[in-house]
Amino acid sequence: MGVMDQVELPKPVRYVFNWGRKFSLWCFNFGLACCAIEFIAASTSRHDFIRLGVIPFAHGPRQADLLVVSGTLTDKMAPAVKRLYEEMPEPKYVISFGSCANCGGPYWDSYSVTKGVDQVIPVDVYVPGCPPRPEALLDGIITLQHMIQHESLPDRIAGRRQDAVTLGADAPLTLEGR
Amino acid sequence: MSDLSTREKIHPGTAPGEDIALEIVGDGDFATTDMTLSIGPAHPATHGVFRIVLELNGERITAARPVIGYMHRGFEKLAEYRDFRQIKALVNRHDWLSGFSNELGVALVVEKMLEMEVPDRAQWIRMLIAEWNRVLNHLMFVGSFALELGAITPMFYAFRERDEIQYLLEAATGGRLHFTYNQVGGLKLDLPKGFLAESVRLSKLTQERLPDYFDLVLGNEIFQARTVGVGPLPPEVALSFGVTGPTLQAAGVPEDSRVTEPYLKYDEVDVPVHLGENGDSFDRFACLLYRIQYSLHIIDQIHDHLPAGPVNTKLPKMVKAPEGAAYQRIENPLGQLGYWLESDGGRTPWRLKMRTPSFSNVQSIPYLLEGMLVPDAISVLGSVFFVVGDIDR
């Protein structure tokens, strides 16, 4: 991002800049479980979130602006989602899609499920439902776009650097498991 | 290290009567080192979070090791803390593409323990929804398999049908993926007004559109080149791994518990089973398409049979299964699904053991991938039908 994350842009420039950013969200779908099917449904002809500027063809996290975590995150999977998130360039946004990703959902008392993806990475928008309808994802995306339109990038980046990520803060997370 | 001076065939198994004359000949001093390639847990070519570790010699796979457990959510343990009526809301999520069949299995096994009579109409409606669910599941795999081979269009075709069917089922059940429509002793509600007319219309429409898939995918030369003769699974190997469903039927084994061990009213309808010849990726995919066609054939018969009457029985305030155990197997869209339910007479099950089709299907992958080229591995992974949640539970 260079100077963008350090210098506050003048208001009109920021408006145009944010307008451009909010309608070109390259999206990386981290499809974990049932919700991934509804994510695909949202990307096909009937619901078609490409009309909102969300492009679901990012080749990997390094090309993506938006991470949609759809499905149950297990403790075994948590290091992978953290690593994918860290591979994404700033500014990056996360939508937690579905009850499992929000809080553990129907597996609230399971021994192997992470109770919410926000224990691992910071989340911007939570979409509730089990699984949420494709319309709910569209609503979540519009909420996120509204947020992007009115945000100040330097503030966001400054806030991000103070974000404490709890899981794995003391012990390094590896793909081999904890 | 390998010795490429010996001649070896690229396709270890070709279709009978067909000789692919592709051979690579090394010049003797060309040596390669083995490489380990980890595909997954997040990789677009494996649906869901299936991880597989490949040992490669050049482009050839010498060993494949599936790493499972990334989606382990502990269903069997959680079921021990749920009421007999609540388990269905849990189990319809392990194979998320066949929610209705899963909950049907649990409902049947609990009814078996309680020795409960289920009204006729409820049984017929269960069959109707289960077959629609099977169509939904198979359409998803039709789309995703083609997508993995590089064709994006079948996905949009499949979702055109899927969306319509999901709206139909939503009218009756209120759910799009997880219906939670079964209840111990019957169904939650009767079918809404106008459901049958819509169901008849949709069945006709889908049957009209089905030839599109046969032409577009099965008749496609590129698709045939990627799948014919790739990953043949002999019937005896398939049986020894416990492979079931379309993957087993493609190997030519006529096993379908709707026919061999009918439950509900499947003995009163005609259930055709399509059998493959070679058990390769092409046959597995063809079996899937034929299963859609035959499910629609069964749906048409159910429309003609559907009797009037109640759809559920009155349950006591507290459902307690007597001490003992029961096993029920049903034909899930992906294969044999079995539930072993053991009760100590309390309010919750003492143990629920699942026998899920994907878990067994995946066991055949190391056998299938050995000696294969990497691009063919995608064709095999896509056609040994599995859902990751169904593997890991």
Side-chain angles (χ1 to χ4, degrees):
Chain A
M1 290 301 287
V3 292
M4 288 297 194
D5 56 348
Q6 288 154 29
V7 183
E8 188 70 79
L9 295 166
K11 209 175 168 191
V13 181
R14 195 172 74 202
Y15 181 87
V16 176
F17 182 66
N18 284 348
W19 174 81
R21 284 197 308 128
K22 79 172 183 181
F23 287 125
S24 63
L25 289 168
W26 282 75
C27 165
F28 183 74
N29 173 28
F30 197 52
L32 290 161
C34 338
C35 299
I37 309 297
E38 289 296 59
F39 179 92
I40 300 169
S43 71
T44 52
S45 327
R46 188 181 287 253
H47 302 287
D48 188 20
F49 60 36
I50 301 182
R51 69 200 150 107
L52 299 176
V54 176
I55 304 153
F57 302 122
H59 294 283
R62 285 174 212 278
Q63 284 87 32
D65 309 301
L66 169 64
L67 177 68
V68 179
V69 183
S70 44
T72 319
L73 185 71
T74 58
D75 288 351
K76 189 171 177 175
M77 200 62 190
V81 76
K82 185 164 159 55
R83 193 160 122 187
L84 284 176
Y85 177 75
E86 282 167 356
E87 282 178 9
M88 288 168 65
E90 286 279 6
K92 51 192 172 186
Y93 302 91
V94 178
I95 290 183
S96 160
F97 185 57
S99 287
C100 292
N102 292 348
C103 62
Y107 317 104
W108 58 274
D109 52 350
S110 168
Y111 52 83
S112 56
V113 172
T114 308
K115 311 298 179 297
V117 68
D118 53 2
Q119 294 191 12
V120 190
I121 57 174
V123 174
D124 293 288
V125 175
Y126 297 87
V127 179
C130 187
R133 304 175 61 86
E135 290 91 329
L137 179 61
L138 300 183
D139 188 45
I141 289 166
I142 290 169
T143 310
L144 181 71
Q145 287 176 338
H146 190 73
M147 225 173 83
I148 295 173
Q149 179 67 72
H150 295 284
E151 81 179 356
S152 144
L153 207 50
D155 286 358
R156 181 179 173 88
I157 305 286
R160 164 83 82 240
R161 286 185 183 139
Q162 288 154 10
D163 271 345
V165 172
T166 48
L167 190 64
D170 45 353
L173 285 167
T174 59
L175 264 182
E176 278 63 50
R178 286 179 294 128
Chain B
M1 300 282 279
S2 82
D3 179 20
L4 281 179
S5 58
T6 52
R7 283 166 164 262
E8 40 185 334
K9 281 196 166 174
I10 283 184
H11 287 274
T14 53
E18 183 189 356
D19 185 30
I20 296 177
L22 284 174
E23 282 176 329
I24 43 169
V25 185
D27 58 359
D29 45 42
F30 176 65
T32 56
T33 48
D34 285 358
M35 186 180 109
T36 307
L37 179 69
S38 175
I39 301 184
H43 189 271
T46 66
H47 25 250
V49 287
F50 184 65
R51 182 179 173 203
I52 187 157
V53 179
L54 303 175
E55 298 283 340
L56 297 180
N57 174 14
E59 273 278 284
R60 192 176 302 282
I61 298 164
T62 51
R65 194 162 47 88
V67 183
I68 64 172
Y70 283 96
M71 205 20 74
H72 177 68
R73 299 182 277 191
F75 280 101
E76 295 183 4
K77 194 68 191 166
L78 291 185
E80 293 168 20
Y81 294 90
R82 305 283 198 271
D83 189 279
F84 283 102
R85 291 163 296 186
Q86 292 171 331
I87 318 170
K88 68 172 196 296
L90 194 66
V91 295
N92 60 12
R93 281 160 173 81
H94 69 76
D95 178 353
W96 48 73
L97 287 172
S98 28
F100 190 85
S101 296
N102 300 341
E103 59 188 64
L104 176 64
V106 158
L108 286 176
V109 74
V110 175
E111 281 154 13
K112 206 178 207 179
M113 291 198 79
L114 294 169
E115 289 171 359
M116 193 177 257
E117 281 293 315
V118 181
D120 269 4
R121 184 173 169 81
Q123 298 202 24
W124 282 99
I125 295 178
R126 278 178 176 184
M127 266 166 68
L128 178 65
I129 310 278
E131 291 307 319
W132 271 126
N133 195 192
R134 197 182 311 274
V135 174
L136 271 182
N137 175 305
H138 289 347
L139 279 173
M140 181 71 209
F141 277 97
V142 166
S144 71
F145 182 43
L147 187 67
E148 281 153 20
L149 294 181
I152 201 168
T153 317
M155 195 67 163
F156 290 104
Y157 273 62
F159 266 86
R160 180 187 61 184
E161 261 77 86
R162 265 183 69 91
D163 271 328
E164 294 228 20
I165 300 170
Q166 277 184 326
Y167 277 104
L168 172 77
L169 296 188
E170 197 186 348
T173 65
R176 283 169 56 90
L177 286 179
H178 307 317
F179 305 108
T180 329
Y181 190 43
N182 276 295
Q183 185 172 299
V184 175
L187 297 164
K188 198 165 67 179
L189 291 163
D190 204 343
L191 295 176
K193 242 183 199 171
F195 180 91
L196 272 185
E198 183 63 15
S199 179
V200 169
R201 184 189 74 83
L202 211 50
S203 164
K204 192 160 163 280
L205 185 72
T206 316
Q207 282 177 42
E208 277 168 11
R209 284 171 173 179
L210 211 53
D212 289 358
Y213 296 93
F214 281 92
D215 297 345
L216 193 70
V217 189
L218 275 190
N220 186 319
E221 267 179 47
I222 304 169
F223 180 83
Q224 289 170 359
R226 293 287 307 268
T227 53
V228 173
V230 173
L233 188 64
E236 61 280 0
V237 179
L239 285 171
S240 70
F241 278 120
V243 169
T244 47
T247 317
L248 181 67
Q249 287 160 10
V253 182
E255 164 61 40
D256 188 320
S257 57
R258 289 174 295 174
V259 181
T260 50
E261 197 183 314
Y263 51 98
L264 295 177
K265 299 285 182 188
Y266 277 113
D267 46 352
E268 292 180 30
V269 292
D270 170 36
V271 184
V273 178
H274 177 80
L275 296 181
E277 284 170 11
N278 315 316
D280 54 8
S281 291
F282 184 83
D283 276 1
R284 285 191 282 268
F285 188 80
C287 261
L288 203 71
L289 275 181
Y290 278 106
R291 273 166 72 106
I292 298 180
Q293 190 177 334
Y294 295 152
S295 279
L296 292 167
H297 173 62
I298 297 170
I299 287 169
D300 284 347
Q301 295 175 60
I302 297 169
H303 289 150
D304 300 336
H305 276 84
L306 203 63
V311 294
N312 47 24
T313 44
K314 200 163 159 43
L315 284 176
K317 238 181 192 150
M318 197 173 285
V319 178
K320 280 186 179 175
E323 209 176 321
Y327 181 75
Q328 175 70 43
R329 65 172 189 151
I330 63 165
E331 181 76 10
N332 228 34
L334 300 180
Q336 293 287 324
L337 175 73
Y339 286 117
W340 169 265
L341 188 69
E342 207 161 335
S343 167
D344 57 357
R347 289 175 57 192
T348 58
W350 184 77
R351 176 90 170 92
L352 177 73
K353 171 78 182 83
M354 298 169 181
R355 183 256 183 253
T356 48
S358 304
F359 181 77
S360 306
N361 287 1
V362 158
Q363 307 307 320
S364 67
I365 283 181
Y367 170 85
L368 286 173
L369 289 190
E370 205 185 324
M372 192 166 268
L373 295 173
V374 175
D376 286 346
I378 303 303
S379 161
V380 167
L381 283 177
S383 67
V384 175
F385 305 107
F386 62 83
V387 167
V388 180
D390 207 28
I391 303 171
D392 296 338
R393 271 99 80 165

